[in-house]
Amino acid sequence: MAFNEDTEKIIKVTVLKNALEYKGKSRVDTVIAKVIGSRPDLRSNLKNLIPKITETVQKINSLSLADQKALLEQAAPGESQKKKIAESSQAPLPPLQGAEIGNVVTRFPPEPSGYPHIGHAKAAIIDEEYAHMYNGKFILRFDDTNPLNEKLEYYEAISEGLEWLGIRPDIVKNSSDDIQLLHEYGKKLILSGGAYVCTCNQKTIHDLRARGLPCECRNDLNVALDRLKKMFDGSFEHNAAVIRFKGDMSNQNTAMRDPTLFRIIDGEHPKIGNKIRLWPTYDFAAPVEDSIDGVTHAMRTKEYELRNALYFAILDRLGLRKPLLIEFSRLEFNGVPISKRKIKPLIEKGIVKSWSDPRLPTLMGIKRKGFLPDAIRKFVLSLGLTLAETKPPVETLEAFNRKIIDSYCMRLFFVKDPVELQIQNVSSKEIILKNHPNNDLGTRKVPVSDSFYISAEDAAKLNINDEIRLMDLYNIKIIKFEPNQTRKALIAAAIPENIRQGIPKIQWVAKSDAIPYKVMITRELYLGEKYNPNSLEICEGYAESFVSMLNIDTRIQFVRFGFCRIDDSNNAIFTHR
Ligand SMILES: [Zn+2]
């Protein structure tokens, strides 16, 4: 069906704007949500709207960025120049301290040492959102100064994760790009007496630090200079010497007790190979990089609180400009730790199959579970810059997701642990069911005869003479139970519709239309400090055959069961109620 000119234009402009925001690739889900958001009346015509949007997305995604820009300029002059400011200005984030329009630079500095997770999403979204709010710049900086931790696949996974979230950095860089400069600043610090080379072993350093005492390396500048030369000419073995900040060994804040700024690491760095052996720690690289990158507002999680003094002390001694440090609480859900220390062993032991397991807080896992990037963004912005240590309930994220998908998910039938139901006095026929009770998402034809499946849970509640309604079909009365080979079966009779109103309604699958189907339900991965052995439940049952025709990634709602994302032809993953 054709839409009027006005609607066609809205679809086209929305797809084009979305494409330009996402490197030329617009997304059906997002466009549907945006279009019905601005034109709620189109909800009643989703059956035609979704194919129309899908077709437009395909057509526009096949064009070059330049063509997309030109088309948008033609369809809606001026739109292509606008950034996401309009959307951002509705953001619930509080004003940023000392921020001036056009002069804000934020950065997200992940270490490419693992897969991105919900905690990264929070930091990146807040950093990006503030940059846009003040028409500033947002930098993605891979904090890659430990070759033993970093892998190319993690740089890629982080970039892909951010792209999925719809985050578009203005600048992408690596800390390792600046390694020569970082070395220069390290030397400068030693020459000015602000740091020294320590060759004590790890244990001695640890013990003296705990007792608040300096080691011998600290006092002689000539020794430091001689050792500094050796650090560059290869005289020191792996881990044999470190550069330490000359802090205050008796400071109450132990982070100030001469922390390590550089160490010698022999390892192949994924970006620059093995030609560099002297690598800065996060404590040194972060403030220097933030300063030279022009960052005005450096946001980081509250766990770094004790290191703030060190951050500023390093910049002070180097005479570098100091960004404002802003803290927020890190994001994780109850029972779903983001720490690699807790997740990695489960993967190594094969308890959790992959990093995209829907139980995990990785972006791949969250995506696979069925959450949409827009829901994550709204959720993160609703949390804002809170410093509260309490973990937000995952139900809040679910509510944001439900609000987006509710209107365009088809309502379909799945019965868990099926029990057979035979109905007397009915004949075979083909019925037409609506795919959504209120919105027009089309219809489907279902062949029915006298045999059905209902869920064991529903069957268990039924007694002889009970009356129930098979949803969208007819009312029945239970006549008897009959044992068959494996489980209880029910015999019922169809009864006239008008006998009783308000009787319980249950979903069903016609035997002639049933396909074996599994739904994966995930629960908290950890109960307290222990792995939860019941964190994954596979529900087996039957779904109507229509489900097998849907594409992977389609979101649906199984009636009286919950929202699910289709994972492959015979499996779905439960997203939420
Ligand atoms: Zn020492």
Side-chain angles (χ1 to χ4, degrees):
M1 196 197 92
F3 287 93
N4 66 32
E5 211 176 298
D6 211 26
T7 311
E8 295 245 357
K9 187 178 160 186
I10 284 172
I11 294 171
K12 190 172 166 186
V13 169
T14 310
V15 173
L16 282 165
K17 277 164 74 176
N18 187 241
L20 288 168
E21 277 175 22
Y22 296 93
K23 294 185 183 163
K25 300 288 170 221
S26 68
R27 289 185 294 207
V28 175
D29 270 343
T30 313
V31 174
I32 293 171
K34 282 188 194 297
V35 169
I36 57 181
S38 65
R39 283 278 307 275
D41 58 298
L42 292 173
R43 241 171 235 270
S44 61
N45 195 12
L46 281 169
K47 179 182 60 178
N48 295 310
L49 186 68
I50 293 172
K52 176 75 192 170
I53 287 176
T54 310
E55 183 200 316
T56 314
V57 164
Q58 280 164 357
K59 208 154 59 185
I60 286 173
N61 283 359
S62 70
L63 302 174
S64 70
L65 269 173
D67 287 348
Q68 290 174 350
K69 226 172 216 170
L71 263 182
L72 181 60
E73 197 46 43
Q74 196 183 10
E79 283 288 347
S80 64
Q81 305 304 319
K82 278 190 204 164
K83 275 197 161 186
K84 272 177 77 191
I85 292 172
E87 219 171 277
S88 301
S89 63
Q90 299 160 5
L93 289 178
L96 202 50
Q97 189 191 337
E100 293 165 30
I101 298 280
N103 280 328
V104 168
V105 179
T106 62
R107 90 290 184 259
F108 169 56
E111 186 182 11
S113 60
Y115 291 98
H117 52 64
I118 187 75
H120 290 119
K122 178 177 176 183
I125 287 169
I126 288 182
D127 281 319
E128 188 207 34
E129 201 70 36
Y130 269 130
H132 284 168
M133 208 166 134
Y134 288 97
N135 210 1
K137 256 195 217 127
F138 168 60
I139 302 169
L140 164 60
R141 185 179 75 225
F142 289 103
D143 189 24
D144 56 348
T145 60
N146 186 346
L148 301 180
N149 286 351
E150 282 114 43
K151 282 187 185 162
L152 269 188
E153 67 174 294
Y154 299 140
Y155 290 81
E156 283 158 19
I158 290 168
S159 294
E160 277 168 27
L162 295 188
E163 204 177 316
W164 177 68
L165 286 171
I167 290 173
R168 292 145 294 132
D170 298 297
I171 295 166
V172 179
K173 64 167 288 193
N174 308 311
S175 294
S176 63
D177 299 343
D178 296 328
I179 189 67
Q180 305 297 350
L181 198 56
L182 289 162
H183 282 169
E184 289 310 311
Y185 281 115
K187 279 181 198 166
K188 192 176 165 191
L189 212 50
I190 291 178
L191 290 172
S192 66
Y196 59 97
V197 180
C198 172
T199 53
C200 300
N201 63 40
Q202 287 293 322
K203 191 180 174 307
T204 309
I205 293 180
H206 182 84
D207 289 349
L208 289 175
R209 190 173 271 152
R211 290 160 57 201
L213 298 172
C215 69
E216 302 217 322
C217 320
R218 195 179 206 259
N219 298 320
D220 195 330
L221 181 62
N222 289 324
V223 171
L225 293 177
D226 178 52
R227 287 177 179 174
L228 178 65
K229 226 193 290 158
K230 286 182 171 173
M231 289 197 111
F232 285 95
D233 69 17
S235 302
F236 285 118
E237 299 288 308
H238 177 79
N239 260 346
V242 294
I243 295 178
R244 294 174 67 184
F245 185 70
K246 206 177 270 184
D248 171 7
M249 286 309 285
S250 57
N251 201 307
Q252 284 300 310
N253 177 357
T254 52
M256 291 306 287
R257 294 184 184 177
D258 292 14
T260 301
L261 303 182
F262 283 86
R263 61 271 196 246
I264 292 180
I265 300 174
D266 282 330
E268 183 86 10
H269 189 280
K271 294 282 179 187
I272 52 181
N274 54 14
K275 59 178 189 274
I276 299 290
R277 297 180 73 228
L278 185 62
W279 288 100
T281 56
Y282 172 83
D283 278 338
F284 186 75
V288 174
E289 287 283 286
D290 284 350
S291 188
I292 62 179
D293 286 344
V295 172
T296 57
H297 296 75
M299 280 166 259
R300 57 184 190 177
T301 51
K302 206 164 169 280
E303 65 200 280
Y304 290 105
E305 198 173 25
L306 287 176
R307 315 200 82 78
N308 290 355
L310 176 61
Y311 182 100
F312 292 125
I314 290 172
L315 294 178
D316 264 337
R317 268 194 217 162
L318 288 171
L320 288 171
R321 183 192 57 89
K322 283 182 271 184
L324 214 60
L325 273 182
I326 292 173
E327 292 171 341
F328 59 86
S329 59
R330 73 181 207 161
L331 171 57
E332 67 181 344
F333 296 114
N334 249 332
V336 193
I338 57 177
S339 129
K340 259 186 295 182
R341 188 174 50 81
K342 289 203 162 167
I343 299 177
K344 220 173 172 183
L346 297 179
I347 292 194
E348 280 164 359
K349 287 180 203 151
I351 297 170
V352 169
K353 290 277 177 291
S354 75
W355 288 95
S356 65
D357 188 289
R359 283 171 291 177
L360 295 182
T362 54
L363 295 183
M364 294 187 296
I366 291 171
K367 177 182 177 187
R368 195 158 158 230
K369 189 157 170 180
F371 287 107
L372 291 176
D374 285 356
I376 296 173
R377 182 175 286 263
K378 287 191 167 117
F379 169 65
V380 162
L381 294 178
S382 78
L383 301 173
L385 285 179
T386 51
L387 290 172
E389 287 296 326
T390 49
K391 294 170 183 166
V394 71
E395 287 78 11
T396 313
L397 172 60
E398 293 176 356
F400 280 112
N401 203 61
R402 191 180 299 111
K403 209 173 161 195
I404 300 174
I405 64 178
D406 184 54
S407 60
Y408 67 82
C409 278
M410 289 191 263
R411 276 28 171 190
L412 302 168
F413 291 162
F414 167 72
V415 293
K416 181 186 163 187
D417 304 328
V419 167
E420 271 193 61
L421 171 72
Q422 284 286 334
I423 303 179
Q424 298 172 346
N425 63 330
V426 292
S427 50
S428 298
K429 59 177 177 175
E430 191 170 70
I431 60 162
I432 293 176
L433 296 179
K434 281 167 80 174
N435 293 337
H436 192 285
N438 311 318
N439 300 332
D440 188 357
L441 294 182
T443 58
R444 62 195 188 276
K445 288 180 186 159
V446 180
V448 296
S449 64
D450 55 356
S451 300
F452 296 87
Y453 293 111
I454 61 172
S455 77
E457 198 187 337
D458 286 331
K461 289 180 198 149
L462 292 171
N463 294 308
I464 305 293
N465 286 331
D466 276 359
E467 289 171 16
I468 49 165
R469 178 164 182 79
L470 297 184
M471 281 178 161
D472 301 325
L473 192 56
Y474 34 63
N475 297 355
I476 56 170
K477 183 176 189 169
I478 305 301
I479 297 174
K480 59 176 171 177
F481 300 130
E482 218 172 61
N484 72 356
Q485 302 96 331
T486 50
R487 57 170 88 228
K488 218 161 61 168
L490 279 65
I491 309 264
I495 51 174
E497 302 265 319
N498 55 5
I499 281 193
R500 224 173 99 202
Q501 295 295 317
I503 59 176
K505 291 178 190 167
I506 62 168
Q507 83 279 20
W508 49 271
V509 172
K511 204 170 175 183
S512 51
D513 185 44
I515 54 161
Y517 206 76
K518 287 181 193 164
V519 181
M520 201 190 276
I521 297 187
T522 62
R523 301 198 176 82
E524 284 119 330
L525 198 54
Y526 271 85
L527 294 175
E529 286 300 303
K530 279 196 171 144
Y531 167 70
N532 173 11
N534 301 314
S535 55
L536 186 66
E537 182 193 348
I538 309 280
C539 298
E540 296 196 38
Y542 288 113
E544 35 181 323
S545 67
F546 181 78
V547 177
S548 66
M549 296 189 299
L550 300 171
N551 293 330
I552 289 172
D553 251 359
T554 306
R555 274 110 184 147
I556 54 171
Q557 186 182 11
F558 279 132
V559 176
R560 297 178 68 233
F561 188 87
F563 289 94
C564 296
R565 180 191 145 272
I566 301 214
D567 199 42
D568 66 41
S569 57
N570 289 89
N571 289 287
I573 295 175
F574 179 81
T575 310
H576 47 65
R577 277 264 166 208

